[in-house]
Amino acid sequence: MFEIESFPQSLFEKKNAALLGGILRGIERETLRTDSNGVLSQKPHPSDLGSALAHPQITTDFSEALLEFITPPTHQVDDLLAHLEAIHKYTATKLDDEILWATSMPCVLGDDSDIPVAKYGNSNNGLMKTIYRIGLGHRYGRSMQTVAGIHYNFSLPDAFWAFLSREQNSLDDLQAFKNDHYFKMIRNFRRHYWLLIYLFGASPALCKSFVANKTHDLQELSDGHTLYLPHATSLRMGDLGYQSKVQESLYACYNSSCSYIKSLCCAITRSHSDYEKIGLKNSNAQFNQLNTSILQIENEFYSSIRPKRTAQPGETALTALQNRGVEYIEVRCLDVDPDSPLGVTREQIAFLDTFLVYCALKDSPNTGPDEAKQILSNQKAIVNRGREPGLTLKHYEHGTLKAKDWATDLIHSMEEVAKLLDASQNTDAHQKSLQAQRNKVLDSQLTPSAKILNTLQENQQSFGAYALDLAKQHKQTLRHPKLSESTILRMDQMAEESLAEQTAIEEASTEDFEQFLKNYYSQYKNCSDKT
């Protein structure tokens, strides 16, 4: 065994089982709006859904056509999935002849110029959000920004952290202790998240239109419209998805809150020659991007996991993190589950909780640039060849290992955590999910990526036709049974309130936009100085 546990054994005593009962979870699910043929919608964000700027649960990501559903944080998985289902059902009733795309990789896109950038109105906040997305389009191409995913927000209760602090005889105040241990969790997550890509990767193939005029090493399926790699798991997480050569040269240090904040502040305030060539503005004095730095804002950093703190109006995410510490973490490496109308399943959530608590409890040495390169190398290997027999990865302490052996050992090391979580919630869901993931490790044909490729090949079906069929099935599922009248009324009211809030924001937005940007970016310098 090379994954050695060092968990505080007192945590596993029956009297302490309830310490993990207060886990808070949230889900952000992205999905494209398409027409009934799977072609990207050219319609603006539906006004019936409210304001994309101000609605707390229904917004847009890069494109007007890329919806993002956000659940409020909750302690109960049943409540989490009920919130997510209600948002999906409500949206489905407002789309008329449109559908929600079922997979991470997009539908028929056409030219980059045919992908509408999201609009958020005329306030300074709204203009900044739109210009940021225009900048992303210039930097990476708009097609890359249509790739959808699942983001999982997770925080452990203060009672758990207080218990752990006492066990370790820590002299830090509770928030400082939490900051330190959330970053320990993040370091362990980064070492092991390749396992999540293997287990839940669901984008081994894509439509040819996605890589038009791009160089790639993908192979062609017999249908002539689909490209794939035989042992791929999640092309979304590879060079064709949310990756950036410029960002690969950026080393973000996760050894402490201070080092992480300083890393990203420097990237936001340091100009890059590639982006200087794009220019801040075009010949008509319109913004091409927010700045010419490596990152326009911290959200541009394509990481598999982020430490987060809810920001106040006008406050940057890093300033919030600096001022008030880590509140929760956001997992960002998950593909949409195409078989689920909600894009995620109860079984997946149970494993994520087990995996994250394991990462929180396991020893976590500091990391450096060499290990960061190793982590990226492991990610790419799993993305492109994750189901390849005999695939090897680089372990951070034990050298070259077979991916299957490492995965088997990780699953075994999580057994105690799964039992603990089941005890805290009076269920057996975590142990059952752990067994399901163990089965995928033993037999790669059970993984979503293998099942998708088998379906395409056996049915001689294109990726686009496969995803379209699922999207249409999900639309029918979401429409029956209908939401209760009280839920519809509540969500209608939420939409109306968000539109009114956007109007109020715009009326209060009187500051010159360039001065607004200057004031906003001054926070990064202050943040960097404090570190």
Side-chain angles (χ1 to χ4, degrees), residues 56-107:
Q57 296 182 11
I58 303 174
T59 183
T60 53
D61 196 272
F62 173 79
S63 174
E64 280 288 275
L66 183 56
L67 289 167
E68 183 173 6
F69 301 147
I70 304 168
T71 68
T74 180
H75 294 292
Q76 300 296 328
V77 174
D78 285 347
D79 291 342
L80 176 70
L81 292 172
H83 278 302
L84 190 60
E85 183 178 42
I87 297 170
H88 277 77
K89 281 179 169 289
Y90 181 77
T91 302
T93 65
K94 302 293 185 181
L95 293 187
D96 298 326
D97 58 340
E98 292 189 330
I99 56 178
L100 302 176
W101 197 241
T103 59
S104 280
M105 301 310 289
C107 48

Side-chain angles (χ1 to χ4, degrees), residues 93-162:
T93 65
K94 302 293 185 181
L95 293 187
D96 298 326
D97 58 340
E98 292 189 330
I99 56 178
L100 302 176
W101 197 241
T103 59
S104 280
M105 301 310 289
C107 48
V108 179
L109 294 177
D111 295 332
D112 247 29
S113 58
D114 295 328
I115 300 171
V117 173
K119 297 178 180 178
Y120 299 94
N122 298 320
S123 68
N124 284 332
N125 287 330
L127 290 173
M128 183 177 176
K129 288 169 73 73
T130 294
I131 293 168
Y132 166 62
R133 286 156 174 77
I134 291 171
L136 294 177
H138 284 304
R139 293 176 176 214
Y140 313 107
R142 293 187 181 185
S143 62
M144 189 184 95
Q145 305 298 322
T146 63
V147 176
I150 294 286
H151 297 168
Y152 188 62
N153 299 322
F154 176 93
S155 68
L156 288 160
D158 280 351
F160 167 82
W161 291 123

